[in-house]
Amino acid sequence: MSDDGPAIFAFTDGACSGNPGPGGWGVVLQAREGDEVVRVRELSGGEPQTTNNRMELMAAISALETLTRPTRLSVVTDSVYVRDGVTKWIHGWRRNGWKTAAGKPVKNEDLWKRLDAAAAPHTVAWEWIKGHAGHVENERADELAREAMAPFKKKKSARPEDVGSLGR
């Protein structure tokens, strides 16, 4: 990594049980000096009824909103939706009054506007990585997202017919 590269990395992920359903998001923020990680901060949150795309967006938003001053950073996501939305589609949406090229309302417009505002003071490099491929920070962000989702998942009780001949 060169000295002029980002010193902050935000690894983000979202999760949803059902789509829509209970969801969570997770962020691993790292401050680096050269290749050495000098500080780590983890963030997470969840909602009882949401979608995976909304949780992916919330992870990126939360990473950016937690920064207290303009920063040069890399946001690393396994979401093609977030990466393409913020690097390709958002410019046209803004220009078209938050309508798609087909003239339809942009899905998750509220969060896209929030992401746009959160990114504005920063110099952000948006990076995509393959999810669930053993990338340590991405796996940790996924774990945080799933932990944040857990309180919203309804526990199912066993029905007598599901137990069957257990214990016989």
Side-chain angles (χ1 to χ4, degrees), residues 78-121:
D78 64 5
S79 171
V80 172
Y81 175 71
V82 170
R83 187 220 35 212
D84 286 354
V86 78
T87 62
K88 298 176 184 178
W89 309 328
I90 201 167
H91 313 293
W93 293 339
R94 252 193 261 117
R95 207 173 34 250
N96 296 335
W98 295 95
K99 302 277 188 237
T100 66
K104 296 184 178 181
V106 171
K107 289 183 181 174
N108 303 311
E109 176 184 341
D110 59 329
L111 296 184
W112 284 112
K113 286 180 174 178
R114 190 169 161 193
L115 180 61
D116 196 30

Side-chain angles (χ1 to χ4, degrees), residues 1-15:
M1 181 169 109
S2 68
D3 289 337
D4 61 344
I8 303 292
F9 289 80
F11 300 90
T12 67
D13 201 12

